[in-house]
Amino acid sequence: MKIRTIMAVLVMVLSSVAVAKEDGKKVDQEIREVIEAFRLSIIEKDEETFNDLFYDKSIPWISVVADKRTGSLPSQSGVRPGSYVQFISWIVSTEEKLEEKFWDIEILTDSDIASVHFKYSFHIGDYKSNWGDEAWHLLKTVDGWKISSVVYSVTANPEPRPKKSS
């Protein structure tokens, strides 16, 4: 009788681990879909989709420009608050082809909140304008995963952007 009980408990534990892994894969995929929607909305200049990715208009959106920081300890110089509304407005207003590329994506989540960290580069046409690390916080809502904060480092391309030929 004891062996049957142990076997039953073991089967339940292994089943719950398998379900948890499957749920984790589903959540990971949902978050990756947010990242891809972010990327595509920049390329397609899709303001509505981009805006819908965020929890609300007041979320933190902060860049840290390394070459503007001064002193032996990090200072407030080079820390630039902004907003995703300003960012997508600029994206939509420019006629140039724009793209943000992402790689080395790491996702930590408990299925209610998530932290995403990745490397990025931002491209204007064929010119790689800047790059760095980017981190988002997300939360699960009734409407799906929403971005609740964005912070990113910026290294500007030291090579000037090529002039357009007339």
Side-chain angles (χ1 to χ4, degrees):
M1 183 72 151
K2 215 175 194 183
I3 291 180
R4 284 186 190 168
T5 304
I6 291 171
M7 291 300 286
V9 168
L10 185 59
V11 167
M12 289 187 329
V13 167
L14 291 175
S15 296
S16 65
V17 167
V19 169
K21 280 187 177 184
E22 193 57 41
D23 286 347
K25 287 180 186 176
K26 181 178 181 258
V27 168
D28 187 80
Q29 183 57 38
E30 291 169 349
I31 293 169
R32 287 180 186 279
E33 287 170 9
V34 172
I35 297 166
E36 182 64 4
F38 185 99
R39 188 183 78 79
L40 289 175
S41 63
I42 291 171
I43 293 169
E44 297 167 1
K45 300 178 188 286
D46 183 348
E47 189 170 15
E48 184 177 337
T49 298
F50 190 86
N51 287 334
D52 194 46
L53 297 173
F54 295 87
Y55 182 70
D56 70 27
K57 289 186 176 167
S58 67
I59 71 141
W61 178 281
I62 301 171
S63 64
V64 179
V65 183
D67 66 354
K68 300 290 184 199
R69 303 203 83 187
T70 59
S72 59
L73 295 174
S75 68
Q76 289 302 97
S77 297
V79 177
R80 298 184 179 155
S83 79
Y84 73 87
V85 175
Q86 292 169 329
F87 179 69
I88 195 62
S89 293
W90 173 72
I91 297 289
V92 171
S93 71
T94 186
E95 293 180 16
E96 296 178 275
K97 176 184 164 201
L98 304 171
E99 181 177 5
E100 188 169 352
K101 298 179 181 181
F102 308 104
W103 66 95
D104 292 343
I105 298 168
E106 296 178 28
I107 299 171
L108 296 173
T109 182
D110 68 358
S111 299
D112 290 317
I113 63 171
S115 176
V116 180
H117 191 273
F118 49 83
K119 304 283 187 191
Y120 82 92
S121 59
F122 192 81
H123 302 258
I124 302 172
D126 293 330
Y127 176 70
K128 185 174 168 181
S129 172
N130 61 76
W131 56 86
D133 284 20
E134 192 162 332
W136 299 352
H137 284 123
L138 297 94
L139 58 114
K140 183 74 175 222
T141 72
V142 294
D143 297 321
W145 286 95
K146 301 292 179 181
I147 301 168
S148 60
S149 73
V150 174
V151 62
Y152 59 102
S153 62
V154 178
T155 300
N157 191 337
E159 296 295 320
R161 189 170 168 203
K163 301 261 189 239
K164 288 184 180 180
S165 48
S166 316

